[in-house]
Amino acid sequence: MTETKPLRVGMVGYAFMGAAHSHAWRTAPRFFDLPLAPELTAVAGRNADGVRAAANKYGWNSVETDWRRLIERDDIDLIDICTPGNTHAEIAIAALEAGKHVLCEKPLANTVEEAEKMTAVAQAAAERGVLSMCGFSYRRTPALALAKRMVDDGRLGDIRHVRAQYLQDWLSDADAPLTWRLDKSKSGSGSLGDIGAHSIDAAQWITGLNVTGVSALLETFVKERPVGGDFVGLGGRGGSDSPRGPVTVDDAALFTARFESKHDGGAAASPIGIFEATRFALGRKNAMRLELNGTKGSVAFDFEDMNSLHFYDAALEPDAGFRKIMVTEPSHPYTANWWPTGHGLGYEHGFTHQVVDLVTAIGAGEQPSPSFADALQVQKVLAAVEASADNSSRWQNV
């Protein structure tokens, strides 16, 4: 038996996304047949004790306290970037120019200018066989991938409406502590880029149509938060008497959108959409929702019921309304490699599928999806939303 060639991974960052990516790198080759064998070669982080503890916990073979050392190492083939957005451009560009493949968490960067530079370097690197991908992991949720398949197969006809929400509540407490996600210099934006970017990418990917213009509102409900405190999950609790620092990002984003026209039989259909992202929706823990209405049918998805897709076929069931599809059959995307029918998957599986698709593309020498160019398009929508919100919600072309 021929031994599978290794893909030696160096990861930068080891917090929430680092844990999710570590699990994915370990798990993917155990459930999927891959052309390369991922190896957790090294993880980098600035805190020596913290990165050593993470390496021991998540199964990395060695540690570095400077991401530049990862890129210099000859035993690293791919750099996985799990750091705040203000560091993405520098790390990704250096890695690609050094001949390392790159997986970069979303959003791609903090500005369109940074994303354009990253995309240009990625396209040049691809000509040398060095590949890159942006980590919009919700694309790998089986139910959303099934929705994409149904749209591509024409089951919905021409899309007319896109309705996207991403609702969380972990910042609802005004005394939740100030973290890097609330600092625009590190995160780029708040709910808009953190979770709204997922909705934008999913909507454009599933419809196959880009957003061409927006009218937006951004709101920051809590202007200052405690510096420090007890950190739990993404948030936690800061002392009510603790010093407070400014929140410099949005707490909630709301915008209407128009998509590019799709010409079909001489008729131009230009779908319209509405997007909402907030971390203040009490009771909603991770409600990433998407509904598409077309000329032949509709689909609706909610990540809080992630193993289900609701489908309405106007021809077959005109009076019946939506029917629920349990997306656990072997014929559904990704699911054949997991459990028997009816045994659902979880949040972490999207990251595993992301690794599967990335490693498969690298093994074939093909551009992974979403590319940095795809992520740049999302970045342009984010920038247009901010520009519109800063200009009394006036229409802003993308």
Side-chain angles (χ1 to χ4, degrees):
M1 180 180 291
T2 303
E3 185 176 351
T4 304
K5 182 180 177 181
L7 180 69
R8 301 163 298 181
V9 179
M11 187 175 73
V12 190
Y14 54 86
F16 172 31
M17 279 298 100
H21 284 224
S22 299
H23 180 275
W25 287 115
R26 291 196 314 270
T27 305
R30 289 168 171 79
F31 285 83
F32 293 79
D33 294 327
L34 301 180
L36 301 168
E39 293 182 359
L40 283 68
T41 302
V43 57
R46 291 174 297 179
N47 183 293
D49 291 338
V51 73
R52 278 194 292 268
N56 291 333
K57 184 175 183 179
Y58 301 134
W60 293 89
N61 295 330
S62 62
V63 302
E64 299 286 354
T65 54
D66 187 336
W67 59 264
R68 295 169 185 84
R69 302 290 84 79
L70 284 185
I71 293 174
E72 293 170 355
R73 287 175 56 159
D74 294 332
D75 62 343
I76 299 290
D77 302 310
L78 181 146
I79 299 295
D80 184 359
I81 304 170
C82 299
T83 54
N86 64 312
T87 65
H88 288 183
E90 184 181 12
I91 299 172
I93 289 171
L96 289 168
E97 290 181 341
K100 314 291 188 184
H101 304 299
V102 170
L103 171 60
C104 182
E105 258 303 326
K106 48 54 57 187
L108 186 61
N110 278 4
T111 68
V112 170
E113 181 181 17
E114 287 179 339
E116 287 175 337
K117 291 177 181 177
M118 295 169 73
T119 300
V121 172
Q123 290 171 341
E127 296 178 0
R128 308 189 305 272
V130 179
L131 302 173
S132 55
M133 187 174 82
C134 189
F136 284 103
S137 58
Y138 284 104
R139 288 191 179 200
R140 273 76 190 190
T141 305
L144 280 180
L146 178 61
K148 166 69 170 171
R149 180 193 295 176
M150 296 170 78
V151 170
D152 289 348
D153 289 345
R155 301 286 297 276
L156 272 63
D158 290 333
I159 304 300
R160 289 173 170 164
H161 290 282
V162 176
R163 208 165 290 107
Q165 293 179 309
Y166 203 143
L167 313 176
Q168 298 177 335
D169 71 353
W170 60 272
L171 273 178
S172 298
D173 183 352
D175 287 329
L178 197 64
T179 68
W180 70 266
R181 294 177 187 273
L182 305 178
D183 181 348
K184 187 175 179 64
S185 68
K186 294 183 173 67
S187 62
S189 64
S191 62
L192 174 63
D194 185 25
I195 54 179
H198 278 301
S199 295
I200 295 166
D201 178 71
Q204 293 186 143
W205 170 62
I206 292 176
T207 63
L209 302 171
N210 288 335
V211 172
T212 60
V214 300
S215 173
L217 289 171
L218 298 178
E219 183 60 54
T220 303
F221 299 115
V222 179
K223 312 296 185 184
E224 294 183 334
R225 290 186 176 275
V227 177
D230 296 323
F231 295 92
V232 179
L234 294 174
R237 179 75 178 178
S240 58
D241 297 329
S242 300
R244 302 176 81 88
V247 174
T248 53
V249 299
D250 60 282
D251 286 328
L254 180 69
F255 64 96
T256 55
R258 185 174 294 279
F259 290 74
E260 62 188 342
S261 298
K262 179 181 180 181
H263 294 274
D264 186 8
S270 180
I272 56 175
I274 186 164
F275 291 77
E276 180 185 11
T278 180
R279 301 181 289 203
F280 275 71
L282 277 170
R284 301 299 179 192
K285 304 306 177 182
N286 200 43
M288 191 274 196
R289 298 169 169 178
L290 186 67
E291 180 171 324
L292 307 178
N293 307 127
T295 55
K296 295 181 180 179
S298 299
V299 291
F301 170 79
D302 185 341
F303 193 80
E304 289 187 349
D305 186 19
M306 65 167 287
N307 291 290
S308 299
L309 182 68
H310 293 261
F311 173 55
Y312 174 72
D313 188 321
L316 296 179
E317 302 164 308
D319 302 319
F322 282 86
R323 63 184 176 91
K324 182 177 180 179
I325 302 171
M326 288 296 295
V327 189
T328 59
E329 297 291 336
S331 60
H332 293 150
Y334 303 108
T335 53
N337 288 73
W338 294 105
W339 318 123
T341 297
H343 295 68
L345 303 185
Y347 173 72
E348 72 279 9
H349 290 85
F351 294 93
T352 301
H353 302 154
Q354 179 172 271
V355 164
V356 170
D357 290 345
L358 175 59
V359 175
T360 300
I362 292 173
E366 298 175 351
Q367 173 59 52
S369 178
S371 65
F372 278 18
D374 296 327
L376 170 59
Q377 167 60 23
V378 175
Q379 201 78 44
K380 290 178 178 179
V381 178
L382 297 177
V385 169
E386 290 193 297
S388 174
D390 288 342
N391 196 23
S392 302
S393 303
R394 290 177 181 167
W395 190 258
Q396 179 73 36
N397 290 328
V398 176

